[in-house]
Amino acid sequence: AFVARSGLMRLMTALAMIALVLEQVMDFHLMATAREELGDAESISAFFGTYYGITSAIGLLLLAGFSSRVMAALGAGRALVVTPLTLAVVGGLAAVLPGLAGAVALRGAGRVLKQSLWSSAVEQMQTPLPVLRRSQARAATRGVLAPGAYLLSALALAALPAAFPTRWLALVSAVVASIMCLIIWRFARRTYLSSLRRAIDDRSFELGSGRAPFAEPLDVDTCAGLARELRAPLAAHAAVAAELLGLSASSAATAALAHGLEHASTLVR
């Protein structure tokens, strides 16, 4: 019920379902291409062992610093589009230049970016939501909606003829990723900022672990939303925004706090 009532949860649930379908198509594309080009089971096993080892290592390296810098610079909404945009481009190239190299590049990019950037951007997008509701919605997505998406995509892939050209799977991946890009570009930032304003109204916006008076550095989208509230004439909203910005160590939050010095209310100043 909460998923249906919250615009942000509807958006994130829809993106999660499309991402699951995209992931399954890319997996099928890579496996079909590997079977077609490598042939025997031993070569395929060795290939996948190397593939998972390399992509896991790259993902961990990027997670150590890349994702936080991109999130801080672009904001959650724009950072969210990096993964599907990359997959749309790589998928198009893999369709034009079919083969194992293209399939590895496509699936490898998806796996690495999911570990290093997509998951972090998704978590950041959900920060305006109450923690309990967020957990309940995530459980519903994983327990009910995700298996349904897996089933439907598995049935569609199983119905493909054995001689189906693998290059078209790369094209399907590019199309699905492009649809994700359009959804994110059209709705993500607007929906996030709307939920942020609602969370400030309800005094339910939470940052960091809650165990210390400090929050993780805020991204530019969050700082922009809080700066807008800080300039609002309603002192109660501006005071909450000032408190949240003051708890963050980011340079964008520090710059946004300067607007509070011009507020009419002494409480805010």
Side-chain angles (χ1 to χ4, degrees):
F2 174 69
V3 173
R5 290 196 305 268
S6 170
L8 183 58
M9 270 317 312
R10 289 196 301 271
L11 172 66
M12 300 312 297
T13 301
L15 288 175
M17 295 301 97
I18 299 173
L20 287 174
V21 172
L22 175 59
E23 191 173 323
Q24 204 161 17
V25 173
M26 292 190 298
D27 279 337
F28 189 87
H29 173 227
L30 178 58
M31 292 177 185
T33 305
R35 185 172 61 249
E36 188 177 278
E37 295 199 11
L38 299 178
D40 62 284
E42 185 177 343
S43 298
I44 293 175
S45 298
F47 161 74
F48 275 106
T50 304
Y51 160 78
Y52 282 117
I54 293 175
T55 53
S56 295
I58 295 174
L60 288 173
L61 287 174
L62 293 179
L63 187 61
F66 170 78
S67 61
S68 59
R69 291 191 181 94
V70 172
M71 290 282 295
L74 299 181
R78 295 184 184 91
L80 201 65
V81 82
V82 171
T83 298
L85 180 60
T86 302
L87 296 180
V89 173
V90 178
L93 292 175
V96 173
L97 303 170
L100 188 57
V104 169
L106 176 59
R107 187 64 190 99
R111 190 165 190 267
V112 166
L113 289 174
K114 179 182 178 180
Q115 292 175 345
S116 60
L117 185 59
W118 174 261
S119 297
S120 299
V122 167
E123 287 297 321
Q124 180 65 34
M125 282 289 294
Q126 295 179 1
T127 51
L129 301 173
V131 175
L132 178 60
R133 293 294 193 183
R134 198 188 313 168
S135 300
Q136 291 172 339
R138 189 180 297 120
T141 300
R142 292 176 178 173
V144 180
L145 299 176
Y150 274 127
L151 176 62
L152 291 176
S153 55
L155 290 174
L157 292 171
L160 295 176
F164 188 80
T166 56
R167 71 189 307 164
W168 297 119
L169 292 170
L171 183 60
V172 169
S173 299
V175 170
V176 174
S178 299
I179 292 172
M180 291 181 68
C181 289
L182 290 174
I183 293 173
I184 294 169
W185 195 260
R186 179 70 177 82
F187 298 108
R189 190 168 186 270
R190 184 182 67 184
T191 306
Y192 174 74
L193 293 177
S194 175
S195 295
L196 177 61
R197 286 192 295 270
R198 191 175 301 112
I200 292 174
D201 288 341
D202 298 338
R203 307 293 194 274
S204 61
F205 190 64
E206 297 183 21
L207 297 170
S209 64
R211 286 176 277 185
F214 174 77
E216 295 297 324
L218 299 177
D219 64 78
V220 291
D221 282 345
T222 304
C223 288
L226 292 174
R228 192 176 295 114
E229 293 297 322
L230 189 57
R231 292 191 296 268
L234 190 59
H237 285 199
V240 172
E243 181 181 359
L244 292 170
L245 288 167
L247 291 175
S248 176
S250 69
S251 57
T254 303
L257 269 174
H259 296 292
L261 298 175
E262 304 169 4
H263 201 278
S265 171
T266 55
L267 174 65
V268 177
R269 296 199 301 271

